[in-house]
Amino acid sequence: NKPTLAKAQTQTLKALLSQRRSPEKVEQEPVNILLVGRTGAGKSSLINALFQDNLAVTDLLPSTTDIAEYHWQTRDGESLALWDSPGYEQGQRADLRDVVLDYAEKADVILLLNPALDPSLQMDADFLKDLQQNAPDRPVLLLVTQVDRLRPVREWQPPYNWQQGEKAKEKSIREAVKYRSDQLGNYCSQILPLVSADPALNRPGLGLEDLSVTLLDVVPPAKQQRLARFLNNLEARAVAAAQIIDRYALQMTTTQGVTALLKSPVLQFVSSLSTGSPALAYLLAEQIPIEQLPLVLGKLQLAYDLFNLLATEDQGLANFDLLTLWPLLLDNPVAPDRNAWAFGHALVEYWTQGLTMDQLSVRFRQYCEGDIRKT
């Protein structure tokens, strides 16, 4: 049986760790995204722009005749599955359409891409009506693509305030979105304009930040942080980081949350990542005052989650330096919830701004004391 907080106070920390399973990669349900729309709507370009690895190659030819599956996976086993369906004009076969609808039922979110210059929405309406019958609870984001081609055609200088701006391009984008809202709004969670950046053409993008943050809002809460790890957009990952920090701070204030922290094998797991063996966990565990065990393990889990979210690909999980962070894990000058909140925000600065350990320690104390204006 897993020890409760009360039982933990009568056992050594080493004994607690010994009751945990050996650290293993935890298989979790992937985040599933389905792309639908007509050929040439920009699906492959979106895949390249939205996620951190270029797993899809832009192809202007209608070469996709079946569901194309793209998979991203982290070193600790979390995964993202993206299903790129054939263009509508290729998918009129009833059997293929049924396959796409089957995938829709398994998706966490459906992205429907519609080119801004194509006024015909009948194919989109037909698909959305079928989808509503087969998977009525699945969120659908309608993306109005290629809005850079709207009038005035030669102008493309984002950012644009397309919701309220008075420039000609802003009005054109707003009209394109409104047209689709009037025709298809009842079937969609949200409608957003989108242009994928193209460095080769020196063309900046539009709408990727809004799409990334919206994706986090519509996927199930348990999958939000998982999805954020795969997104290119820094703002979306910042939103996810704030959610992680707030979740741990809240967890420190509840009996159930504190007890859950005692069940975490994170110390063994991170020790194995750092050294190849869980032995370091036993050595470090003996340094933790028994009454601080939930807080220390909670801060460690918080640090591990933030690192997974914020670390760049070239750093790798092996660079999570447990020994370097250890003094701060044991530095607990304020209430647990404030402590976790301060530790999390200081770590975000540490990993995104390249702080030294001394600077990290200073920022942690400043956050603890509420003096966050200092740099």
Side-chain angles (χ1 to χ4, degrees):
N1 294 330
K2 302 283 187 181
T4 63
L5 183 58
K7 290 181 180 178
Q9 294 173 347
T10 67
Q11 301 176 9
T12 68
L13 301 180
K14 187 172 181 178
L16 284 175
L17 285 171
S18 297
Q19 293 183 27
R20 306 290 184 268
R21 291 185 307 151
S22 297
E24 299 172 350
K25 290 184 178 179
V26 179
E27 291 294 333
Q28 302 193 52
E29 289 187 8
V31 181
N32 299 319
I33 299 176
L34 174 65
L35 267 62
V36 297
R38 63 203 72 194
T39 300
K43 290 185 288 181
S44 295
S45 297
L46 174 61
I47 297 171
N48 289 338
L50 191 57
F51 302 106
Q52 293 194 48
D53 291 322
N54 289 344
L55 300 187
V57 178
T58 300
D59 187 353
L60 300 180
L61 299 176
S63 57
T64 302
T65 57
D66 207 342
I67 301 290
E69 299 191 17
Y70 302 97
H71 296 274
W72 289 256
Q73 186 163 339
T74 65
R75 296 188 184 185
D76 58 339
E78 294 188 350
S79 61
L80 167 71
L82 188 142
W83 303 317
D84 184 4
S85 64
Y88 287 141
E89 66 282 1
Q90 300 178 62
Q92 294 306 305
R93 299 193 335 255
D95 58 335
L96 183 53
R97 193 173 186 81
D98 288 343
V99 169
V100 174
L101 290 171
D102 285 342
Y103 272 84
E105 292 183 33
K106 298 181 290 185
D108 295 300
V109 59
I110 298 160
L111 304 182
L112 191 161
L113 280 64
N114 176 257
L117 291 179
D118 191 340
S120 175
L121 303 180
Q122 190 58 53
M123 288 188 291
D124 304 286
D126 290 344
F127 174 80
L128 288 171
K129 290 175 183 176
D130 289 344
L131 179 63
Q132 191 174 59
Q133 292 182 349
N134 287 268
D137 58 340
R138 293 296 182 268
V140 178
L141 302 182
L142 194 160
L143 307 180
V144 187
T145 62
Q146 303 167 1
V147 295
D148 55 318
R149 301 179 184 179
L150 294 171
R151 299 186 311 270
V153 177
R154 295 183 183 277
E155 176 196 327
W156 185 244
Q157 297 176 330
Y160 288 110
N161 179 8
W162 64 270
Q163 296 96 330
Q164 299 172 328
E166 291 301 316
K167 296 178 182 178
K169 198 76 164 187
E170 292 169 334
K171 291 180 179 179
S172 293
I173 296 173
R174 184 160 60 247
E175 289 170 1
V177 172
K178 183 179 184 305
Y179 174 69
R180 286 153 181 83
S181 178
D182 292 342
Q183 301 295 317
L184 304 173
N186 291 337
Y187 302 107
C188 302
S189 303
Q190 198 158 340
I191 301 175
L192 299 170
L194 181 74
V195 174
S196 299
D198 189 336
L201 298 177
N202 197 27
R203 182 188 68 187
L206 174 77
L208 279 174
E209 181 174 306
D210 288 343
L211 172 58
S212 298
V213 174
T214 302
L215 278 171
L216 295 184
D217 288 337
V218 299
V219 300
K223 296 187 176 184
Q224 288 173 345
Q225 279 83 38
R226 245 177 286 166
L227 172 60
R229 292 176 64 175
F230 298 99
L231 294 172
N232 255 329
N233 185 259
L234 182 60
E235 176 65 24
R237 281 182 280 156
V239 169
Q243 292 173 341
I244 291 172
I245 293 169
D246 290 345
R247 174 162 53 85
Y248 277 96
L250 177 62
Q251 195 170 3
M252 297 294 184
T253 67
T254 67
T255 301
Q256 287 182 336
V258 168
T259 303
L261 293 173
L262 285 169
K263 300 178 181 180
S264 171
V266 65
L267 183 53
Q268 276 185 316
F269 185 58
V270 174
S271 296
S272 296
L273 286 174
S274 302
T275 67
S277 166
L280 179 63
Y282 299 119
L283 296 176
L284 295 177
E286 295 297 350
Q287 301 178 30
I288 309 175
I290 189 68
E291 68 277 4
Q292 291 190 23
L293 175 62
L295 176 57
V296 173
L297 290 182
K299 286 171 67 177
L300 177 58
Q301 183 73 62
L302 167 60
Y304 179 65
D305 284 354
L306 287 175
F307 181 79
N308 284 339
L309 177 66
L310 299 172
T312 57
E313 184 65 24
D314 58 351
Q315 284 178 293
L317 293 179
N319 288 345
F320 186 95
D321 192 340
L322 177 58
L323 283 176
T324 298
L325 290 178
W326 193 252
L328 273 185
L329 292 169
L330 297 180
D331 185 8
N332 300 309
V334 291
D337 56 338
R338 180 74 185 187
N339 194 309
W341 182 87
F343 185 59
H345 282 279
L347 281 178
V348 170
E349 294 186 22
Y350 175 61
W351 279 314
T352 60
Q353 300 179 20
L355 303 185
T356 65
M357 273 306 301
D358 288 342
Q359 290 171 321
L360 171 61
S361 299
V362 169
R363 290 301 283 160
F364 170 62
R365 283 286 176 157
Q366 289 172 350
Y367 275 112
C368 285
E369 297 164 6
D371 187 8
I372 58 176
R373 292 171 295 174
K374 297 179 182 179
T375 56

